[in-house]
Amino acid sequence: MQGSKVDDALEVLISSPIDALELTHSQHAELCNILEQIADSLPDEVEPPKCRQARDCLLWEVPLHHKDEEEGLFPLLEKRALPEDNIVEHLAQLSLEHATDESFADELSEHLEHLSNGEKPLNPNMLGYMLRGFFESYRRHLHWENSVLLPLARKRLTPTDLKTLRDVMIDNRQT
Ligand SMILES: [Fe+2]
Ligand SMILES: [Fe+2]
């Protein structure tokens, strides 16, 4: 992210960590759109700067966001959720998806690195298939978190929890 965007994101984080998570989701939805454009542009119309942007986001911003959720949001929600919220097994499933998505993102980032250097893909069909597999499942993950997880967090987390979440997220950006 550029300087002013980092400042804006930090301002949102300080005023509301849940809004900051939601903002990151919209940035990651944009990442999915970029990955779709890259898949559509294979093999000859690829734009290297887009590949660089997607690669950086996959390598740095996606794992950071997962860390915010797994070290900050999920334990707090697990503590506050009521039995009828039925959220605990979903949190385990989301963590599993994070691990799968990160290993997939690692693999994709290597291909995107080559494309960002202007190299042609060795197997465009396979790369297109991999890109689509990633962004389709990541969009589902984002949609579920936006429609179920974050609304529940807004309902259940206390002001003290929100302060804890904000501190974890700030700490994740300093290490
Ligand atoms: Fe998320
Ligand atoms: Fe997530």
Side-chain angles (χ1 to χ4, degrees), residues 69 98 141 145:
E69 291 183 334
H98 288 171
H141 185 101
E145 289 186 340

mmCIF file with all atom_site columns, all heavy atoms in Angstrom, residues 69 98 141 145, ligand 2:
data_model
loop_
_atom_site.group_PDB
_atom_site.id
_atom_site.type_symbol
_atom_site.label_atom_id
_atom_site.label_alt_id
_atom_site.label_comp_id
_atom_site.label_asym_id
_atom_site.label_entity_id
_atom_site.label_seq_id
_atom_site.pdbx_PDB_ins_code
_atom_site.Cartn_x
_atom_site.Cartn_y
_atom_site.Cartn_z
_atom_site.occupancy
_atom_site.B_iso_or_equiv
_atom_site.pdbx_formal_charge
_atom_site.auth_seq_id
_atom_site.auth_comp_id
_atom_site.auth_asym_id
_atom_site.auth_atom_id
_atom_site.pdbx_PDB_model_num
ATOM   1  N  N   . GLU A 1 69  ? -6.845  -12.124 12.338 1.00 0.00 ? 69  GLU A N   1
ATOM   2  C  CA  . GLU A 1 69  ? -8.055  -12.875 12.673 1.00 0.00 ? 69  GLU A CA  1
ATOM   3  C  C   . GLU A 1 69  ? -7.745  -13.998 13.662 1.00 0.00 ? 69  GLU A C   1
ATOM   4  O  O   . GLU A 1 69  ? -8.463  -14.185 14.638 1.00 0.00 ? 69  GLU A O   1
ATOM   5  C  CB  . GLU A 1 69  ? -8.691  -13.439 11.397 1.00 0.00 ? 69  GLU A CB  1
ATOM   6  C  CG  . GLU A 1 69  ? -9.273  -12.315 10.535 1.00 0.00 ? 69  GLU A CG  1
ATOM   7  C  CD  . GLU A 1 69  ? -9.999  -12.796 9.285  1.00 0.00 ? 69  GLU A CD  1
ATOM   8  O  OE1 . GLU A 1 69  ? -9.678  -13.902 8.788  1.00 0.00 ? 69  GLU A OE1 1
ATOM   9  O  OE2 . GLU A 1 69  ? -10.850 -12.069 8.784  1.00 0.00 ? 69  GLU A OE2 1
ATOM   10 N  N   . HIS A 1 98  ? -7.441  -20.606 5.941  1.00 0.00 ? 98  HIS A N   1
ATOM   11 C  CA  . HIS A 1 98  ? -6.307  -19.672 5.907  1.00 0.00 ? 98  HIS A CA  1
ATOM   12 C  C   . HIS A 1 98  ? -5.018  -20.420 5.543  1.00 0.00 ? 98  HIS A C   1
ATOM   13 O  O   . HIS A 1 98  ? -4.231  -19.956 4.720  1.00 0.00 ? 98  HIS A O   1
ATOM   14 C  CB  . HIS A 1 98  ? -6.104  -19.007 7.269  1.00 0.00 ? 98  HIS A CB  1
ATOM   15 C  CG  . HIS A 1 98  ? -7.167  -18.001 7.617  1.00 0.00 ? 98  HIS A CG  1
ATOM   16 N  ND1 . HIS A 1 98  ? -7.266  -17.442 8.867  1.00 0.00 ? 98  HIS A ND1 1
ATOM   17 C  CD2 . HIS A 1 98  ? -8.162  -17.447 6.870  1.00 0.00 ? 98  HIS A CD2 1
ATOM   18 C  CE1 . HIS A 1 98  ? -8.292  -16.584 8.891  1.00 0.00 ? 98  HIS A CE1 1
ATOM   19 N  NE2 . HIS A 1 98  ? -8.848  -16.580 7.680  1.00 0.00 ? 98  HIS A NE2 1
ATOM   20 N  N   . HIS A 1 141 ? -14.825 -17.183 1.029  1.00 0.00 ? 141 HIS A N   1
ATOM   21 C  CA  . HIS A 1 141 ? -14.338 -16.956 2.391  1.00 0.00 ? 141 HIS A CA  1
ATOM   22 C  C   . HIS A 1 141 ? -14.676 -15.517 2.826  1.00 0.00 ? 141 HIS A C   1
ATOM   23 O  O   . HIS A 1 141 ? -15.220 -15.296 3.917  1.00 0.00 ? 141 HIS A O   1
ATOM   24 C  CB  . HIS A 1 141 ? -12.820 -17.201 2.390  1.00 0.00 ? 141 HIS A CB  1
ATOM   25 C  CG  . HIS A 1 141 ? -12.156 -17.134 3.734  1.00 0.00 ? 141 HIS A CG  1
ATOM   26 N  ND1 . HIS A 1 141 ? -11.811 -18.250 4.457  1.00 0.00 ? 141 HIS A ND1 1
ATOM   27 C  CD2 . HIS A 1 141 ? -11.766 -16.072 4.475  1.00 0.00 ? 141 HIS A CD2 1
ATOM   28 C  CE1 . HIS A 1 141 ? -11.230 -17.879 5.591  1.00 0.00 ? 141 HIS A CE1 1
ATOM   29 N  NE2 . HIS A 1 141 ? -11.194 -16.558 5.629  1.00 0.00 ? 141 HIS A NE2 1
ATOM   30 N  N   . GLU A 1 145 ? -17.235 -14.304 5.853  1.00 0.00 ? 145 GLU A N   1
ATOM   31 C  CA  . GLU A 1 145 ? -16.781 -13.486 6.988  1.00 0.00 ? 145 GLU A CA  1
ATOM   32 C  C   . GLU A 1 145 ? -17.543 -12.163 7.043  1.00 0.00 ? 145 GLU A C   1
ATOM   33 O  O   . GLU A 1 145 ? -17.884 -11.687 8.129  1.00 0.00 ? 145 GLU A O   1
ATOM   34 C  CB  . GLU A 1 145 ? -15.276 -13.247 6.884  1.00 0.00 ? 145 GLU A CB  1
ATOM   35 C  CG  . GLU A 1 145 ? -14.484 -14.521 7.165  1.00 0.00 ? 145 GLU A CG  1
ATOM   36 C  CD  . GLU A 1 145 ? -12.994 -14.309 7.227  1.00 0.00 ? 145 GLU A CD  1
ATOM   37 O  OE1 . GLU A 1 145 ? -12.502 -13.289 6.689  1.00 0.00 ? 145 GLU A OE1 1
ATOM   38 O  OE2 . GLU A 1 145 ? -12.306 -15.173 7.784  1.00 0.00 ? 145 GLU A OE2 1
HETATM 39 FE FE  . FE  B 2 .   ? -10.356 -15.180 7.182  1.00 0.00 ? 2   FE  B FE  1
#
